[in-house]
Amino acid sequence: MALTADKQALIWKTLNETRGKIEPAEYKNYIFGLMFYKFLSEKVQTWLDQQLHGETWASVWEQNPEKAAAFMQTKLGYVIQPGELFSDWQAAINVDQFNITNVADALVHFNQGIQQGAKATFEGIFDDMDLASSRLGSNTQTRTKTLMDWISLIDQIELDEDADVLGDLYEYLIGMFAANSGAKAGEFYTPHQVSDIMARILTAGREDMPTYSLYDPAMGSGSLLLTTASYMKNDGVRGAIKYYGQEVITTTYNLGRINLMMHGVEYNDINIQNADTLSSDWPDGVQSGVDSPRMFDAVMANPPYSQPWDYDNREDDPRFKLGIAPKSKADFAFLQHGLYHLKQDGRMAIVLPHGVLFRAAEGRIRQALLENRNISAVIGLPEKIFTNTGIPTIIMILEKNRTTDDVLFIDASKGFEKQKNTNKLRQEDVDLIVETFLKREDVAKYAHVASFEEIKENDFNLNIPRYVDTFEEEEAVDLVAVSQDLVDVNRDIAQSESDLLAMISDLAVTDDSQAIIASAKQLFGGKDE
C-alpha cells in the first residue's frame, strides 16, 4: 500500500489542527512519541499472536512476570506489560476510564523493561514527552483530555503493517515539522532529493555487498542512513546492514532512533551515540594509547555549516592530521572526522557551504586532501533547498585510495523547481547529477574533469566557476543594422507628423483652426510643413 500525497496532506492538516498553541518543534515530540509507541505496541501484538496460541498476555504475565518479560526481551529487546499497549489506552478512552497516568506509568515500565543489550537503542527514547508540561493543560484533567485527543487521532491513522508505509509517513512528517519549526529547528532534516543523490553515489557499484556499514557523524533524523541503505540489495535483511551515528542534540538523537526503527531497522543493527562528534570521537578510537578506530564502508553527513568549535589542543588528535580547522568554522573538522573513519575502499559524501572551496584559512587542509587524492568530486547545488538556510551548498565526494588525482566539478545550481519560499530539486535534476558523476566526463556548461595540474595552477582553489564556465554569451549586436533602424524610425515619425498636420489643415473652417495648426506645429518642434 502506497502512502499517497493526498493521504499525507490530510494527515498533516489533521495533526496541525489539534496542536492548539503548542509550537510545531515541541508538538512533534508528543506526536512522534505516540506514533512510535503505537508502532512498538503493534510489534508486540503481532509477536504475541504468534507465540501465545490462544492464551492472553495478561494470563502469561500473571503466572511469572520475570519469565514473561525475559521471553519478550529476547525477541524484541523491550517489554510492554499487559494493559499498557496502545490499544489498551484507546480501549480505556472508549469506556471513559483513561487518565494521563496510564501513559506515564507505561513509559516508566517500558524504560525499566529494556534488555541490557538494547539499552543504547531504546533507553530514554520517550524522555521528550513531558506529560507534566503546562503546554498540555493547566491541570491533570485538561492534560488528560489533550492526550486523549492525540491518542484517538493517532489511532485513526490506519495504514497497515507495512513498515515502509509507516516509515514514509514518519519521514514526511519530519520534513513538514522541519519546514514549520523555523530555521534552527530545521537543522535535523536533509531533503530527500539531496539524500538520494548522496546515497546513489555512495552505493554505485556496491549494491550487492553482502554486508555494509553506514556512519553519519551528524545524523539528525537519520534520513541519510536510511536512504543510503535503501539502495543496497540486502536492505531489510537482519544483520546485513549496520547503522552507526552520532548526534549531539538529545531530542534529535531520539528522533533519529525512532526513525530508524519505524523504517523496520532491528534494534541490534543500530549503534548510535548521543555525543558531540568533534569532542567525543567514536568510542572505538584511541584505547590504552593505541589508535584503533572503527571504519565504515560509507560515511555520509550534512553537518551544521561553519559552526564554532573547540579547536584547542587538537594537534595530537589523529583525526585532524591534515590540519586544524579554524575556530569559527568546523566544516573541515567534520570532513576529516568522517574521512578518518572511512574504510580504505570506502566512499564518503558530505554537504558543506561553498566557503570550504576557497577560504584562505583552510588552504593547507584543502591542498593536503588534493595531494592525497582524497577529493573525487565537487557538486554545486541550488540555493534555498534546505529548510535551515538559503545559501547554496555543495556535496563533496571523497575516497581514501583513488588511483587518479583529478577532480570532477559539477555545477547543478541552476537545475531546480521554484516553489513558494524554497527551491526543490526535480527527479531529472537528481538523475543528471548522478549520471554525470558516474560517467565522469566533461559536459558543456555543466561539468568538467579538472586535472591536478589545473587545480594546482589555481592555487588549490576549488571554486566551481573556475572550472565550469556557465557564462552564456549574448548574441553580438549589429551596430550597422541598429543605425539603419534608427534612420527608418525617424523617417516614419516625420511622415506621421506630416500626415497629421495635413489632416488638421483640411479641417480648417474657422479662425480657430489656424491656432490649432500653430499649436500642432509647435508640438512637433516648430516645423513648417
Side-chain angles (χ1 to χ4, degrees), residues 134-304:
S134 60
R135 300 289 185 91
L136 301 183
S138 57
N139 54 50
T140 301
Q141 184 177 358
T142 54
R143 288 195 290 272
T144 295
K145 177 63 170 64
T146 299
L147 212 56
M148 286 170 59
D149 291 342
W150 290 349
I151 290 171
S152 297
L153 176 63
I154 297 299
D155 188 60
Q156 292 169 22
I157 302 177
E158 290 295 339
L159 299 170
D160 57 20
E161 295 180 359
D162 186 344
D164 288 339
V165 174
L166 196 57
D168 287 347
L169 171 61
Y170 190 82
E171 190 81 18
Y172 165 75
L173 293 177
I174 287 175
M176 293 302 294
F177 277 118
N180 288 272
S181 297
K184 195 68 179 175
E187 286 182 354
F188 59 77
Y189 181 69
T190 301
H192 179 72
Q193 295 79 14
V194 177
S195 298
D196 203 43
I197 293 168
M198 299 168 74
R200 289 170 63 180
I201 289 174
L202 287 169
T203 58
R206 306 175 182 196
E207 300 89 344
D208 292 333
M209 289 176 62
T211 59
Y212 199 60
S213 57
L214 310 170
Y215 176 48
D216 186 341
M219 66 172 287
S221 66
S223 62
L224 278 171
L225 292 169
L226 288 164
T227 306
T228 304
S230 71
Y231 283 95
M232 298 301 294
K233 180 179 179 181
N234 285 333
D235 179 37
V237 177
R238 189 168 189 168
I241 299 177
K242 296 293 185 180
Y243 300 77
Y244 297 84
Q246 290 202 136
E247 172 57 48
V248 66
I249 301 173
T250 302
T251 297
T252 308
Y253 162 69
N254 292 335
L255 187 71
R257 288 191 291 171
I258 292 174
N259 196 20
L260 292 178
M261 286 185 277
M262 291 277 275
H263 278 84
V265 181
E266 296 292 341
Y267 75 90
N268 43 10
D269 288 334
I270 298 172
N271 192 343
I272 61 178
Q273 309 288 330
N274 183 198
D276 185 326
T277 287
L278 300 183
S279 296
S280 306
D281 192 10
W282 191 260
D284 300 334
V286 177
Q287 299 176 0
S288 302
V290 179
D291 185 21
S292 56
R294 185 177 296 236
M295 301 299 187
F296 306 98
D297 292 304
V299 176
M300 67 289 300
N302 179 19

Side-chain angles (χ1 to χ4, degrees), residues 469-484:
D469 180 11
T470 59
F471 178 74
E472 296 288 347
E473 289 189 9
E474 295 184 8
E475 188 175 344
V477 177
D478 188 339
L479 294 178
V480 174
V482 170
S483 178
Q484 183 60 50

Side-chain angles (χ1 to χ4, degrees), residues 292-472:
S292 56
R294 185 177 296 236
M295 301 299 187
F296 306 98
D297 292 304
V299 176
M300 67 289 300
N302 179 19
Y305 309 140
S306 301
Q307 81 168 13
W309 72 299
D310 181 10
Y311 78 146
D312 292 327
N313 303 315
R314 298 290 185 172
E315 290 78 13
D316 294 330
D317 192 322
R319 294 176 295 170
F320 309 124
K321 64 181 181 180
L322 299 184
I324 311 301
K327 182 178 182 178
S328 61
K329 296 175 175 63
D331 304 307
F332 269 118
F334 280 108
L335 184 150
Q336 288 189 84
H337 170 89
L339 186 61
Y340 173 75
H341 285 285
L342 187 65
K343 285 184 178 179
Q344 293 299 313
D345 58 349
R347 194 176 288 160
M348 174 180 171
I350 183 170
V351 182
L352 296 167
H354 272 258
V356 301
L357 301 178
F358 52 79
R359 290 189 299 236
E362 295 134 317
R364 175 190 164 194
I365 302 174
R366 198 162 49 242
Q367 180 175 341
L369 289 168
L370 290 162
E371 289 175 343
N372 290 345
R373 301 178 176 179
N374 293 137
I375 300 177
S376 172
V378 175
I379 302 167
L381 299 174
E383 63 181 4
K384 296 182 181 179
I385 59 172
F386 290 91
T387 58
N388 62 312
T389 181
I391 66 171
T393 53
I394 65 157
I395 298 173
M396 188 177 288
I397 309 300
L398 302 105
E399 297 178 25
K400 276 190 174 176
N401 278 331
R402 296 181 64 228
T403 57
T404 59
D405 55 9
D406 56 13
V407 176
L408 169 65
F409 290 88
I410 299 176
D411 186 346
S413 61
K414 296 179 176 61
F416 60 86
E417 176 183 68
K418 188 170 181 60
Q419 299 191 328
K420 184 178 180 182
N421 296 317
T422 60
N423 296 324
K424 181 181 178 181
L425 290 166
R426 300 160 297 186
Q427 188 59 49
E428 58 262 38
D429 303 320
V430 172
D431 292 341
L432 180 58
I433 291 171
V434 176
E435 290 165 5
T436 303
F437 173 84
L438 296 177
K439 289 180 180 177
R440 207 171 181 86
E441 297 174 351
D442 282 15
V443 179
K445 309 295 183 182
Y446 189 76
H448 174 60
V449 181
S451 68
F452 180 81
E453 290 304 318
E454 186 178 353
I455 296 170
K456 186 176 180 180
E457 288 175 5
N458 278 298
D459 295 322
F460 301 101
N461 185 315
L462 299 179
N463 202 16
I464 297 174
R466 289 184 176 232
Y467 305 95
V468 182
D469 180 11
T470 59
F471 178 74
E472 296 288 347

